[in-house]
Amino acid sequence: MTRPMRKDAAQRRDALRKAAATEFAERGIEVPLDAIADRAGVGRATLYRNFADRDELVLAVFAGLVDELGERMRQKTAPDAFFDFVHELSELLLRNVALSAALRHAQSRLALVKLRQKIIAAGTSALSLSQAAGTVRADLEPGDIRILAALLGAGLETADPSEREAISRRTRALVLDGLRARS
Amino acid sequence: MTRPMRKDAAQRRDALRKAAATEFAERGIEVPLDAIADRAGVGRATLYRNFADRDELVLAVFAGLVDELGERMRQKTAPDAFFDFVHELSELLLRNVALSAALRHAQSRLALVKLRQKIIAAGTSALSLSQAAGTVRADLEPGDIRILAALLGAGLETADPSEREAISRRTRALVLDGLRARS
Amino acid sequence: MTRPMRKDAAQRRDALRKAAATEFAERGIEVPLDAIADRAGVGRATLYRNFADRDELVLAVFAGLVDELGERMRQKTAPDAFFDFVHELSELLLRNVALSAALRHAQSRLALVKLRQKIIAAGTSALSLSQAAGTVRADLEPGDIRILAALLGAGLETADPSEREAISRRTRALVLDGLRARS
Amino acid sequence: MTRPMRKDAAQRRDALRKAAATEFAERGIEVPLDAIADRAGVGRATLYRNFADRDELVLAVFAGLVDELGERMRQKTAPDAFFDFVHELSELLLRNVALSAALRHAQSRLALVKLRQKIIAAGTSALSLSQAAGTVRADLEPGDIRILAALLGAGLETADPSEREAISRRTRALVLDGLRARS
DNA sequence: AATGAATGAGGGTTCATTCAT
DNA sequence: GATGAATGAACCCTCATTCAT
């Protein structure tokens, strides 16, 4: 019966997520937590009550997006599903530049490992599909998806916003098509 | 003559460079400058006397390595020189994981732009050579080399040392050969 | 309503103001902020939360005093109101020796300009009154009040406390006669 | 027989004095000593060898000027010699704004007391002369000269250079009339 | 529960002064 | 002697986290 009060709490939690998303986008995931609490119009302790530490907040901001991507991908059936995945992942990273930093730190920060797992989960079905259809080389493994994500986001966060689109496109070109001249 | 006398001063400067290299490798380029001064067995102010700011120190640590790479590359004449460059750059980034972070920040930190320029300069001759020989696609431009460097270093810094070799190899595979299955 | 609840916060803020007043008096307005925080029995950051920088604190310490002076002056109606003002200003500077330094720096430090304006505002009505009554020379302008303040405080801060009274009296003697209207 | 080497040493000492004069004028008497040594093209230790501390240097910079003023004054014979003195002192302070700060600190800094004494000495003969002639009020004492100096320099250092002339003139106007003997 | 004030540790930087060369 | 490199203390400021209200 702890329901009726829940509405406020949920609103606050959501305000925090939104504020965090904005601050992460503008100043990176290492932005002072105070800035997030302030933007959310909420006390510091409330932030701590809702998210044990910075990384839980990071996770809360990005997990949904990655899950949605996975959802969409799982419905694909075309042979080049995996190329769609790469494109969408690239777009996702371009529109959420702080996500790259989050993934980079997944190594040492426990909460962020989940994010990496979600990315891998999001692309795995498409990878299998495309490999079965013979459009993607057979030696790729699901675990490579995280490397792919690192590549697709490389250099975006610190780049000037006006340059990001170009870097993203170029990165995709390099990654997708390879360096070798075609015979 | 401009003051060749320095002996111990030069030693200290070198100790600082070495200490910085180690600390950068272990804790990233944002490591407290105190840690570097301490490791070098030197007062804080000595660090400041030798290097105006963190970025000058970063530059001092890495510029030499990149220049040497360029030197070696400029002597290559084989058609696949550019693939050699990619390999060597990859190795360089693997053995100096903080270099990636330095390049990432070249965007906004003036001193580090030089590092990026050096990277580009290091690979440009090999690129021309290989493009003339038809082994590398013609639409690559020198400027792409910095993106390439970002790719080759992606994810290495934060990865566990034991994993780095594998990530580096895998990254190279993805970048060099592309994702597409060969017909 | 705007948060009237504060009690202890207000106490601390007040403790800071008091501590600052004491330290300013004893060691000048360039006293380390740490010393003020320590004397107030408060952490450094608390000082920063309450006062964005040193000058805000200086202003907080002195603005009230100057405003009170202005208040008293605005109620005067006697022809020699301006001489009263000079006396009171002189007393104020004698009892708050750091105020002189604050005014001296009003030139280049934005927050302190307010203090200067307050001084001018404090004496302007008395000046008009006395000029209308013909007791003060007509060519004095409100802007001269700041020069007057500089004169009245000159040399007090660095003087030995035991000498200050004498210096102040002598200064007043030298300055006051210069203000009088000639017959 | 320590003569022959003396030439270099004297040059260095002079370079230091000149450099100090410039730096004091531009940045005040609290300018870092390094800046002075650097500008003089001399090592820090040389500065210390020549001047035990900052105040000795300050003294060395200004003592000559004040002594020259005294010299000139001692040759005056006109009844308004003291008014000449005030004018010249005012000019001196206007052209050497850091001198005011030096005098202000004469209280607590031993070396600077000499400067104050020299100022008093510089004006004493003119004061006696003018008082004997009845042009200056009889109650002025030599000791008042230091207060006068404080007044004449008040507010000049921190003022914008473009304003200094005006402030100086206005200050003189306020102060001079107070000195005159009443008819 | 929610708030936001307070804390204290940590990092950057400057400067007077000493000391090896 | 002269040099200028090195030192370490001191200051400023920021931020994650706790705690009184």
Side-chain angles (χ1 to χ4, degrees), chain D residues 30-46:
Chain D
E30 301 304 336
V31 71
L33 295 181
D34 290 19
I36 295 172
D38 287 352
R39 184 185 280 260
V42 145
R44 276 127 201 67
T46 302

Side-chain angles (χ1 to χ4, degrees), chain C residues 82-90 148 152 172 176 179:
Chain C
F82 193 65
F83 294 97
D84 287 353
F85 171 69
V86 171
H87 263 102
E88 291 219 22
L89 179 53
S90 176
L148 210 45
L152 293 169
R172 236 156 35 222
L176 274 174
L179 303 177

Side-chain angles (χ1 to χ4, degrees), chain A:
Chain A
M1 276 268 194
T2 43
R3 279 289 143 75
M5 273 309 167
R6 235 18 188 299
K7 218 183 297 176
D8 282 38
Q11 274 173 10
R12 263 183 265 269
R13 195 182 162 86
D14 222 63
L16 276 166
R17 226 189 333 242
K18 273 212 191 83
T22 310
E23 291 290 336
F24 289 161
E26 289 177 1
R27 306 170 59 190
I29 61 171
E30 302 302 336
V31 70
L33 294 182
D34 291 19
I36 295 173
D38 286 353
R39 184 186 279 263
V42 144
R44 278 127 200 67
T46 302
L47 188 158
Y48 278 87
R49 182 178 323 281
N50 281 280
F51 305 95
D53 57 22
R54 156 176 268 114
D55 288 355
E56 265 196 24
L57 191 49
V58 171
L59 190 62
V61 166
F62 293 121
L65 293 171
V66 177
D67 283 344
E68 283 169 23
L69 172 64
E71 210 48 60
R72 283 199 302 281
M73 283 304 129
R74 239 160 272 128
Q75 285 158 17
K76 297 263 175 179
T77 55
D80 53 356
F82 192 65
F83 295 98
D84 287 354
F85 171 70
V86 171
H87 264 103
E88 289 218 23
L89 179 54
S90 176
E91 289 284 330
L92 185 68
L93 291 162
L94 175 59
R95 286 192 317 267
N96 298 275
V97 288
L99 177 51
S100 290
L103 290 170
R104 211 179 22 253
H105 291 112
Q107 197 64 34
S108 47
R109 301 207 206 154
L110 212 57
L112 299 180
V113 174
K114 289 194 185 166
L115 213 48
R116 175 188 284 176
Q117 291 170 336
K118 282 174 188 293
I119 293 266
I120 294 176
T124 298
S125 64
L127 176 59
S128 309
L129 186 64
S130 292
Q131 284 178 321
T135 59
V136 165
R137 43 193 267 194
D139 68 332
L140 273 190
E141 296 170 17
D144 290 329
I145 292 173
R146 78 169 163 113
I147 295 180
L148 209 45
L151 299 185
L152 293 169
L156 290 178
E157 326 152 52
T158 47
D160 193 273
S162 64
E163 282 191 311
R164 284 176 186 157
E165 182 100 37
I167 293 176
S168 183
R169 201 171 330 113
R170 205 68 187 130
T171 299
R172 243 159 24 225
L174 290 178
V175 168
L176 280 172
D177 303 328
L179 303 175
R180 224 175 283 283
R182 305 297 144 150
S183 52

Side-chain angles (χ1 to χ4, degrees), chain C residues 104-105 107 137 139-141 144 146-148 150-151 154 157-160 163 167 170-171 173-175 177-179 182, chain D residues 104-105 107 137 139-141 144 146-148 150-151 154 157-160 163 167 170-171 173-175 177-179 182:
Chain C
R104 214 178 20 255
H105 291 112
Q107 197 62 225
R137 38 194 273 194
D139 70 332
L140 272 191
E141 297 170 18
D144 290 327
R146 76 169 166 110
I147 293 180
L148 210 45
L151 299 185
E157 328 150 50
T158 47
D160 193 272
E163 281 192 312
I167 294 177
R170 207 68 188 130
T171 300
L174 291 179
V175 169
D177 286 340
L179 303 177
R182 307 291 141 161
Chain D
R104 210 180 20 254
H105 292 111
Q107 197 64 35
R137 37 194 273 194
D139 68 332
L140 272 191
E141 298 171 16
D144 290 329
R146 77 168 162 112
I147 293 179
L148 211 43
L151 298 185
E157 329 152 49
T158 48
D160 193 272
E163 282 191 311
I167 293 176
R170 205 69 187 130
T171 300
L174 290 179
V175 169
D177 286 341
L179 302 176
R182 306 291 141 160

Side-chain angles (χ1 to χ4, degrees), chain C residues 80-173:
Chain C
D80 54 356
F82 193 65
F83 294 97
D84 287 353
F85 171 69
V86 171
H87 263 102
E88 291 219 22
L89 179 53
S90 176
E91 289 283 330
L92 186 67
L93 290 163
L94 174 59
R95 285 191 318 266
N96 299 275
V97 288
L99 177 51
S100 290
L103 289 169
R104 214 178 20 255
H105 291 112
Q107 197 62 225
S108 48
R109 302 205 206 155
L110 212 57
L112 299 180
V113 173
K114 287 196 185 164
L115 214 47
R116 174 187 285 177
Q117 291 169 336
K118 282 175 189 295
I119 293 268
I120 295 176
T124 297
S125 64
L127 177 59
S128 308
L129 186 64
S130 292
Q131 285 178 321
T135 59
V136 166
R137 38 194 273 194
D139 70 332
L140 272 191
E141 297 170 18
D144 290 327
I145 292 173
R146 76 169 166 110
I147 293 180
L148 210 45
L151 299 185
L152 293 169
L156 289 178
E157 328 150 50
T158 47
D160 193 272
S162 65
E163 281 192 312
R164 283 176 186 157
E165 183 102 9
I167 294 177
S168 183
R169 201 171 332 115
R170 207 68 188 130
T171 300
R172 236 156 35 222

Side-chain angles (χ1 to χ4, degrees), chain C residues 62-74 92 114-115 117-119 121-122:
Chain C
F62 294 121
L65 294 172
V66 177
D67 282 343
E68 282 169 24
L69 171 63
E71 209 49 57
R72 282 199 303 281
M73 283 304 130
R74 240 160 272 127
L92 186 67
K114 287 196 185 164
L115 214 47
Q117 291 169 336
K118 282 175 189 295
I119 293 268

